[in-house]
Amino acid sequence: MFALVDCNSFFASCEKVFRPDLDGKPVAVLSNNDGCIVARSPEAKQLIPMQATLYSVQDLVKQGKLHVFSSNPVLYKDMSRRVIQTLQHFSPEVEQYSIDEAFLGLHGFTKADLTDYGHKIRTTVKQWTGIPVSVGIAKTKTLAKLAAHGAKRHPDLDGVLDFGTLADPDAVLASIDVGEVWGIGRNLKAKLNSMGIKTVLQLKNADERLIKKTFGILGLRTVLELRGTACFPMEPVAAPVTMRIVSRSFGHLVTELSDIKEAVATYTTRCAEKLRADGLVAGHFTVAIRTSYYRAKNQYVAARSVALDPPTHDTAVLIHEAMQLAEAAFTPGYEYLKAKVIATDLTPVGEVQGSLFAAPVDTEKRDKLMQTMDSLNRKLCPDAVKFGALGLKPTWAMRSEYFSQRYTTHWGELPTVKVWQMVKPTSTRLPCKPVR
Amino acid sequence: MGFPVPGDAIEQSLDLNHHLIHNPAATFFMRVEGDMVAGQAVQPGDLLLVDRSRVAQDGSLVVAAIAGTLQVLRVEQHQGQLVPPGWQRGTDGDIDICGVVAHLIRKV
């Protein structure tokens, strides 16, 4: 048996944990760069659509009817870690599937008490972390995901649905769009629809050979999972990292090469920090820049790559390469919206082979420098020590006007509490007028 | 001539995190702000380790949401409910206990 635990409106829920004044109020979280709404609390769902732009909801924000927050990834990541840690009390097999979803392997549990167990998981996660979750339980991961979906949509279920307890599971599957099935994206859905498969039940009863022929073994496995045969096992160990990407939109459209280079240098610095934190070195590095997709005219996309020999995670080396790549990719006359740096061909530091051709580098000295920079930046503030290429006052930086606090990871941003005081009965005396 | 470092007697140094935090998933640091209140154990500037997994009992020091703000206070058992001393549920509003203060750290 499997359970899928899915955090409800995760980013919005994180913003509410330390703000009891927002209890019961509509809260929405913006994408990077304050572009559009990416998460809504249940109250906000009644008010605004997903993907709404900040511009379209600004009246509600000004009137105080909607509370918006800029994306606060540091907070979300820490809260996610706490949820996963809590779930590990409920099963030795926990597989984090995304920042707000995890599968639990429930082997050896008897069928009767699984709904109760789901409720226990739900109340514990809420109590320990403040995050509300939905729990779907079923014989396969694909069905557990559908069950979690159902638990979220039907308030009378109180957030938990054990698929095995449904009186008529096929009737339920017939009422769900095939696009809701795990692994079926927009393209697959269109293809299935063209074959006359519109509901989950139709997919479950589809001809095995036809599915295998059209969608390959993965498609067949999905059908078998819908029929109750587990084909996707637990994968508790996170898949090894194959690439590190840092990608962000600029605060406004950028036309100058100097601005692009500053941005690319900054993203490269972040990327190198991530590589060092994971103990990896990159053998390949790519810089990509592009204009907005939403403009009909003057679109431009370019990417340039370089092989790194020997592989490295040295910020200075990576910035040096990235600057040349950015120059090569840049063409004047366009308004750029986004830059991206990608480190690939990653290997653990200890497994790097010496290079036949490149000149030897004094890696010990360089490593010490990088370690010193990382620890200073961790202790003081990000970019307290940085390379000159990052610029002093970025004009291209992302907008994040509605930033909340990093409540759980920064000493200066902890939640604050007042000392409780019995409120004294208010005085009935009128305020005296000042004597002239 | 000095004594040799006894290699097998070395243990890990004392770790405050380990000593103070029993449930890392549910423990949050919070800072006390505002004015000094007479007769209170908690003072502005104190660092609170709040464990959300601990169940509050009669006499517990807790952090609770009262009137939309987080407040630290001691609760008493009163007619089957945990409330601050002298509190009247209904007339005085609602109190929602977030967690129990497991430790208090004060700079001296």
Side-chain angles (χ1 to χ4, degrees), chain B:
Chain B
M1 213 188 91
F3 293 102
V5 177
D8 56 347
I10 292 173
E11 289 197 9
Q12 277 193 323
S13 55
L14 296 173
D15 182 353
L16 261 186
N17 271 334
H18 196 74
H19 182 64
L20 298 179
I21 300 174
H22 293 286
N23 187 346
T27 302
F28 294 87
F29 287 88
M30 298 190 187
R31 179 82 64 188
V32 181
E33 267 197 355
D35 301 323
M36 184 88 90
V37 176
Q40 285 283 5
V42 183
Q43 293 172 13
D46 287 354
L47 188 63
L48 307 178
L49 269 78
V50 181
D51 188 345
R52 293 184 57 118
S53 66
R54 290 214 349 210
V55 180
Q57 287 164 348
D58 191 19
S60 291
L61 189 67
V62 302
V63 167
I66 302 173
T69 53
L70 294 173
Q71 307 199 26
V72 55
L73 63 147
R74 211 168 274 287
V75 286
E76 292 175 349
Q77 189 89 14
H78 183 70
Q79 293 178 350
Q81 289 174 324
L82 288 168
V83 291
W87 178 274
Q88 288 187 336
R89 204 174 264 265
T91 52
D92 285 343
D94 251 338
I95 153 169
D96 183 16
I97 296 177
C98 302
V100 174
V101 179
H103 294 277
L104 182 152
I105 299 173
R106 180 174 304 159
K107 198 172 177 178
V108 290

Side-chain angles (χ1 to χ4, degrees), chain A residues 17-18 20-21 79 81-82 85-86 89 126-130 407-408 411 414-422, chain B residues 23-33 37 40 47-48 52-53 65-66 68 70-73 84 86-87:
Chain A
V17 170
F18 305 101
D21 57 310
M79 294 307 288
R81 178 186 65 78
R82 289 166 182 271
Q85 250 180 1
T86 307
H89 286 79
K126 175 83 173 109
Q127 177 62 47
W128 289 16
T129 68
Y407 297 103
T408 58
W411 290 116
L414 297 180
T416 54
V417 299
K418 287 198 305 189
V419 181
W420 180 80
Q421 239 180 323
M422 181 60 124
Chain B
N23 187 346
T27 302
F28 294 87
F29 287 88
M30 298 190 187
R31 179 82 64 188
V32 181
E33 267 197 355
V37 176
Q40 285 283 5
L47 188 63
L48 307 178
R52 293 184 57 118
S53 66
I66 302 173
L70 294 173
Q71 307 199 26
V72 55
L73 63 147
W87 178 274

Side-chain angles (χ1 to χ4, degrees), chain A residues 64-368:
Chain A
K65 287 179 184 156
L66 174 68
H67 301 265
V68 295
F69 290 97
S70 300
S71 179
N72 188 346
V74 174
L75 173 66
Y76 310 152
K77 217 173 153 188
D78 185 65
M79 294 307 288
S80 170
R81 178 186 65 78
R82 289 166 182 271
V83 170
I84 299 296
Q85 250 180 1
T86 307
L87 294 178
Q88 281 162 349
H89 286 79
F90 288 93
S91 167
E93 290 180 283
V94 177
E95 173 193 343
Q96 179 156 23
Y97 176 66
S98 69
I99 192 160
D100 59 352
E101 287 170 292
F103 285 108
L104 270 65
L106 299 178
H107 302 288
F109 287 83
T110 57
K111 212 179 166 193
D113 54 30
L114 280 180
T115 305
D116 281 350
Y117 203 61
H119 281 291
K120 212 171 153 199
I121 292 174
R122 192 175 124 85
T123 41
T124 307
V125 174
K126 175 83 173 109
Q127 177 62 47
W128 289 16
T129 68
I131 301 293
V133 296
S134 301
V135 184
I137 299 162
K139 274 188 191 163
T140 70
K141 281 176 153 184
T142 305
L143 286 173
K145 236 174 134 68
L146 283 173
H149 207 80
K152 225 176 215 189
R153 289 219 175 148
H154 299 283
D156 49 309
L157 291 172
D158 211 13
V160 180
L161 173 59
D162 177 357
F163 194 77
T165 62
L166 289 174
D168 188 356
D170 277 358
V172 176
L173 294 183
S175 71
I176 308 173
D177 189 290
V178 73
E180 306 285 351
V181 175
W182 187 30
I184 298 203
R186 213 186 302 169
N187 291 340
L188 277 185
K189 183 187 163 176
K191 207 162 174 188
L192 285 166
N193 284 351
S194 73
M195 294 162 67
I197 297 173
K198 297 201 164 77
T199 70
V200 181
L201 183 64
Q202 284 171 328
L203 180 61
K204 178 185 169 188
N205 294 334
D207 180 59
E208 280 178 35
R209 269 169 308 171
L210 181 67
I211 292 292
K212 195 178 168 190
K213 215 175 98 192
T214 325
F215 301 101
I217 191 74
L218 274 178
L220 179 62
R221 283 187 183 149
T222 298
V223 170
L224 291 174
E225 284 243 317
L226 289 174
R227 293 178 189 170
T229 308
C231 300
F232 302 121
M234 290 293 287
E235 290 164 13
V237 184
V241 188
T242 55
M243 62 166 79
R244 274 278 173 224
I245 302 180
V246 178
S247 152
R248 259 158 236 174
S249 298
F250 307 130
H252 55 86
L253 297 174
V254 161
T255 55
E256 299 299 318
L257 175 61
S258 57
D259 283 343
I260 294 205
K261 280 170 80 174
E262 274 188 23
V264 167
T266 306
Y267 302 172
T268 303
T269 304
R270 288 291 95 74
C271 189
E273 283 167 1
K274 281 187 186 182
L275 290 174
R276 290 197 292 273
D278 291 342
L280 297 169
V281 286
H284 210 83
F285 200 73
T286 305
V287 170
I289 51 176
R290 69 169 172 84
T291 55
S292 169
Y293 286 140
Y294 297 102
R295 299 217 163 173
K297 278 183 185 170
N298 262 336
Q299 290 224 13
Y300 178 80
V301 182
R304 296 287 182 276
S305 299
V306 65
L308 302 165
D309 186 19
T312 186
H313 55 200
D314 185 321
T315 304
V317 175
L318 291 173
I319 286 183
H320 177 75
E321 297 292 349
M323 293 301 90
Q324 294 182 10
L325 296 173
E327 276 172 34
F330 181 80
T331 304
Y334 292 101
E335 295 181 319
Y336 292 92
L337 175 74
K338 194 170 191 172
K340 194 194 264 193
V341 302
I342 308 155
T344 44
D345 195 6
L346 307 181
T347 37
V349 177
E351 294 174 19
V352 177
Q353 297 194 335
S355 170
L356 266 183
F357 306 107
V361 196
D362 188 352
T363 47
E364 206 177 310
K365 231 176 178 176
R366 300 296 311 180
D367 282 351
K368 236 180 211 164

